[in-house]
Amino acid sequence: MRAVLVIGIHREELAFGEAVAAGLDLSHLTLLRIPAGVSGARPSPDQAFYYRTNHQELYLQVLAQVRGHYDLLLDLHAGVNEPGRCADLISADRHLLACLLDHSGPAQPPPSGELVRGVLLAAPDDPPRVSDSLLSAHTVIPRSVWENEAFRYLGIEVFLPTAGAGQPADWTFARRLIEQSLACAALQCARAG
């Protein structure tokens, strides 16, 4: 199974992505750095069109580099949750999310009981995708990226107590999620093949 980790889609998150990647075994994972990503700050209403367009164009450039070369696209992001570290795992692939949230499988519970939620993607014009164990969300990421027959997409949004590059425990937490994602994807590839 071939996997790529994308960091820096949002330029404010590149330092976090660099710190996480520095501790990963990159012999089983390709790192794709976006050195000059788009801003992750929410736009004013009059800038929403440009915000959405810039995001979509950047993801379409990533798509051109990923399609045909990788089986799994891991898209690392960082947000802020002042009460404590947690993460959202975001995908249109219910089976991948189920594996990641199944603590008896290759994915183990995060250390210190940190919350990890599964989020099932849907396009803005799609009906809600209801699930007992998963949240549902819309995204500005083009559907051709997050729902692609050639590879699976998994967004990993790690929420840190404060904005910035994070701390060693934050990087370890993100690395563990990445490693679990690789284990689940490899397990699914083995079952399918």
Side-chain angles (χ1 to χ4, degrees):
M1 193 221 28
R2 302 159 301 163
V4 59
L5 173 66
V6 178
I7 61 171
I9 288 281
H10 297 135
R11 60 180 166 260
E12 303 89 350
E13 301 167 2
L14 182 59
F16 173 73
E18 293 280 5
V20 170
L24 287 170
D25 175 2
L26 295 177
S27 64
H28 304 294
L29 181 66
T30 300
L31 181 63
L32 177 57
R33 287 180 182 88
I34 309 296
V38 297
S39 174
R42 293 287 176 224
S44 61
D46 62 330
Q47 293 297 312
F49 172 78
Y50 298 106
Y51 172 84
R52 200 169 34 257
T53 301
N54 289 337
H55 269 77
Q56 290 175 349
E57 287 301 317
L58 183 54
Y59 273 103
L60 291 174
Q61 291 175 32
V62 168
L63 175 63
Q65 295 183 49
V66 171
R67 188 178 26 220
H69 301 285
Y70 299 99
D71 305 303
L72 178 65
L73 167 64
L74 299 172
D75 184 15
L76 183 63
H77 294 277
V80 175
N81 181 49
E82 291 176 2
R85 184 175 36 254
C86 59
D88 284 345
L89 302 175
I90 307 160
S91 183
D93 186 333
R94 303 180 175 268
H95 301 293
L96 180 59
L97 291 173
C99 178
L100 286 162
L101 299 172
D102 176 9
H103 300 304
S104 65
Q108 299 301 313
S112 308
E114 286 139 333
L115 176 66
V116 176
R117 302 181 305 181
V119 180
L120 196 58
L121 284 174
D125 54 344
D126 286 348
R129 299 175 85 173
V130 179
S131 171
D132 292 338
S133 61
L134 302 172
L135 301 172
S136 182
H138 301 293
T139 181
V140 296
I141 300 169
R143 187 177 210 142
S144 59
V145 174
W146 58 263
E147 192 171 55
N148 195 301
E149 290 183 16
F151 63 87
R152 282 174 288 173
Y153 170 87
L154 178 68
I156 301 174
E157 178 90 26
V158 177
F159 294 94
L160 311 173
T162 58
Q167 301 297 318
D170 303 322
W171 309 330
T172 299
F173 177 60
R175 287 180 199 126
R176 184 164 181 182
L177 293 171
I178 291 166
E179 290 162 359
Q180 291 170 346
S181 302
L182 293 170
C184 281
L187 180 65
Q188 287 184 320
C189 281
R191 286 181 181 160

